[in-house]
Amino acid sequence: MRLLVTGGLGFIGSNFVRHHLGSYPGDSIVNLDLCTYAGNPANLADLAPPAAGHSAAGAVRKENGIARRYRWIRGDIADPEAVDKAMAGCDAVVHFAAESHVDRSILEPGVFLRTNVIGTQVLLDAALKHRVRRFVHVSTDEVYGSVEKGLSREGDPLEPNSPYAASKAASDLLVRSYVVTFGLPAVITRASNNFGPFQFPEKALPLMITNWMESRPFPLYGDGLNVRDWVYVLDHVRGIELVLRKGRVGEAYNIGGTCSSTNRELVARVRDIMGIGPELVRPVPDRPGHDRRYALDCSKLKKLGFRHKYRFADALAKTVEWYGMHPEWWRPLKGRKGYQGYYKKQYRTLAKS
Ligand code: NAD
Ligand code: DAU
């Protein structure tokens, strides 16, 4: 099968590309990615032509020919021409590309609507034109809004609270409309908070880990009692692969993790792993509209045969270790002008609220 993956230079997309090419030797992947601030060719450096002296990357290429089955096209999902070219000859689409950070959506909602809504519509139109056999739309538990108790099920109303969540909910509804109106063979996945290697260090967990590696404080929003469900990125990827193969057209599937935790509890766990004292946790004003709790009912995915492979405690420890072993990956990202500029704006906004 030839797949068009969008957003394959991002956190989850790059983990998907590597995992999928390793697990399905008959498949190839075209990766359409604009390489925004969140996209990083270094996330798939092992698949790109090896630079002089990179013998490890060369070994991967020889062993299983993965690199020959992978191609990155730099392009915008909201650009119909770029999408048309990239999708030609593809059997299926796995759509990750998005603006994904809630705090940025509060500072600058417009780009979220353009990429997450218009970009998805452009992809859906191309998928109809190219008659793809399957379209997997990668979405989020945030579309259900905050659930004070109980678990969100796929049929629950969508009640998004941030511009990011609203743009994702809008894209979910667009996908649904293309299934009903045009018969597009699409499915939706809705995952909880991912963690693992290659996550951009603006998200809570990699920000915490890398700040502490630099002896800098982690800004804990509000009272720290917001609850998130944590899924290791490769379990999410495995769930998407299952839905790609076995999901029923027109259905949505929740993909949750194995650990529900308040942010304070998460901070305590990571402090424990890294041996960090309380002075490196700095309470700051809350995120506006901060959802109190997400929690997913994943029985539908289980019925498809899904079982988690990764234990939370082990995956968290491995993730901390990965950031420790790869400062050359995250240090340059945090040094970039765009990153520094974002944080200046972010803290001005927090200070005002
Ligand atoms: P990310 O921000 O790490 O990566 C997004 C990728 O999309 C980047 O490579 C970026 O360059 C690319 N991109 C952005 N705009 C583009 C455009 N206009 N055209 C082409 N490419 C563009 O995101 P992520 O955390 O890997 O999330 C991937 C998807 O999974 C998103 O759709 C997100 O909503 C969803 N999701 C994320 C999580 C999570 O915890 N991170 C949980 C559930 C669902
Ligand atoms: O639930 C799935 C969603 O998870 C995805 O759809 C989003 O793309 C992804 O960014 C993530 O959204 P969250 O807002 O939950 O993730 P974030 O890492 O930004 O924050 C996790 C929790 O930590 C949240 O309650 C806010 C809090 N937080 C976050 C940051 C960045 C802090 O306390 N301090 C921080 O500096």
Side-chain angles (χ1 to χ4, degrees):
M1 183 158 64
R2 183 171 153 127
L3 293 181
L4 176 68
V5 166
T6 69
L9 293 184
F11 163 46
I12 306 171
S14 61
N15 276 286
F16 176 88
V17 169
R18 182 177 298 102
H19 187 269
H20 192 84
L21 290 176
S23 310
Y24 296 88
D27 284 6
S28 62
I29 290 181
V30 175
N31 170 20
L32 179 65
D33 194 304
L34 186 59
C35 201
T36 65
Y37 81 92
N40 188 351
N43 295 3
L44 289 174
D46 48 338
L47 305 189
H54 282 222
S55 53
V60 172
R61 284 155 60 81
K62 264 189 220 135
E63 254 168 47
N64 47 25
I66 282 182
R68 274 186 283 107
R69 296 185 280 119
Y70 168 73
R71 186 156 67 99
W72 167 37
I73 298 176
R74 187 177 199 147
D76 185 345
I77 59 165
D79 171 358
E81 220 174 283
V83 168
D84 188 51
K85 275 193 198 144
M87 208 182 287
C90 290
D91 307 294
V93 178
V94 184
H95 173 32
F96 294 95
E99 288 294 333
S100 68
H101 190 38
V102 173
D103 293 324
R104 286 188 190 251
S105 82
I106 296 167
L107 293 174
E108 208 182 330
V111 63
F112 282 72
L113 296 190
R114 184 180 180 280
T115 295
N116 300 1
V117 185
I118 303 299
T120 300
Q121 175 253 314
V122 170
L123 285 165
L124 291 169
D125 280 339
L128 283 177
K129 177 182 163 194
H130 290 281
R131 297 173 186 273
V132 301
R133 299 207 305 264
R134 184 53 65 106
F135 187 107
V136 181
H137 175 63
V138 179
S139 190
T140 168
D141 60 2
E142 303 211 3
V143 298
Y144 298 117
S146 193
V147 286
E148 303 304 312
K149 32 183 201 296
L151 302 172
S152 299
R153 302 187 59 155
E154 290 83 350
D156 286 354
L158 304 189
E159 294 177 344
N161 293 317
S162 70
Y164 161 70
S167 69
K168 293 297 289 188
S171 65
D172 284 20
L173 294 177
L174 261 180
V175 172
R176 176 193 151 89
S177 77
Y178 273 63
V179 173
V180 174
T181 305
F182 304 111
L184 185 76
V187 282
I188 296 171
T189 60
R190 295 190 183 129
S192 56
N193 284 62
N194 282 228
F195 69 101
F198 301 107
Q199 186 167 29
F200 195 82
E202 64 186 354
K203 305 282 165 65
L205 203 43
L207 181 71
M208 190 185 300
I209 296 169
T210 60
N211 273 11
W212 287 345
M213 284 174 177
E214 296 177 310
S215 302
R216 287 164 50 186
F218 170 70
L220 182 64
Y221 296 167
D223 61 9
L225 293 177
N226 305 71
V227 176
R228 295 292 183 268
D229 173 76
W230 293 94
V231 61
Y232 187 58
V233 63
L234 290 182
D235 268 336
H236 181 198
V237 160
R238 291 172 59 247
I240 292 169
E241 281 169 345
L242 183 63
V243 172
L244 171 66
R245 282 180 291 124
K246 293 198 179 157
R248 276 187 51 189
V249 169
E251 299 284 329
Y253 294 88
N254 290 340
I255 306 180
T258 53
C259 174
S260 169
S261 130
T262 64
N263 293 333
R264 275 199 212 172
E265 286 161 352
L266 185 72
V267 160
R269 279 175 184 269
V270 181
R271 272 182 54 198
D272 207 35
I273 294 171
M274 296 180 67
I276 296 294
E279 69 286 354
L280 287 188
V281 182
R282 179 171 301 160
V284 295
D286 210 353
R287 169 188 280 174
H290 195 174
D291 281 336
R292 197 61 171 168
R293 176 174 176 269
Y294 304 131
L296 291 174
D297 178 328
C298 299
S299 45
K300 216 168 145 184
L301 187 74
K302 285 203 182 114
K303 280 197 195 122
L304 282 189
F306 184 79
R307 298 288 174 272
H308 289 96
K309 186 169 168 186
Y310 299 92
R311 274 169 37 99
F312 177 75
D314 300 339
L316 185 64
K318 260 180 60 178
T319 300
V320 172
E321 190 182 293
W322 187 88
Y323 285 92
M325 306 273 285
H326 293 90
E328 82 294 347
W329 181 84
W330 55 264
R331 273 194 212 281
L333 299 178
K334 292 180 95 168
R336 276 189 199 164
K337 247 187 172 173
Y339 187 91
Q340 302 283 344
Y342 160 67
Y343 270 100
K344 268 195 199 131
K345 257 200 220 167
Q346 170 67 350
Y347 289 120
R348 266 202 307 272
T349 312
L350 285 177
K352 270 193 232 146
S353 65

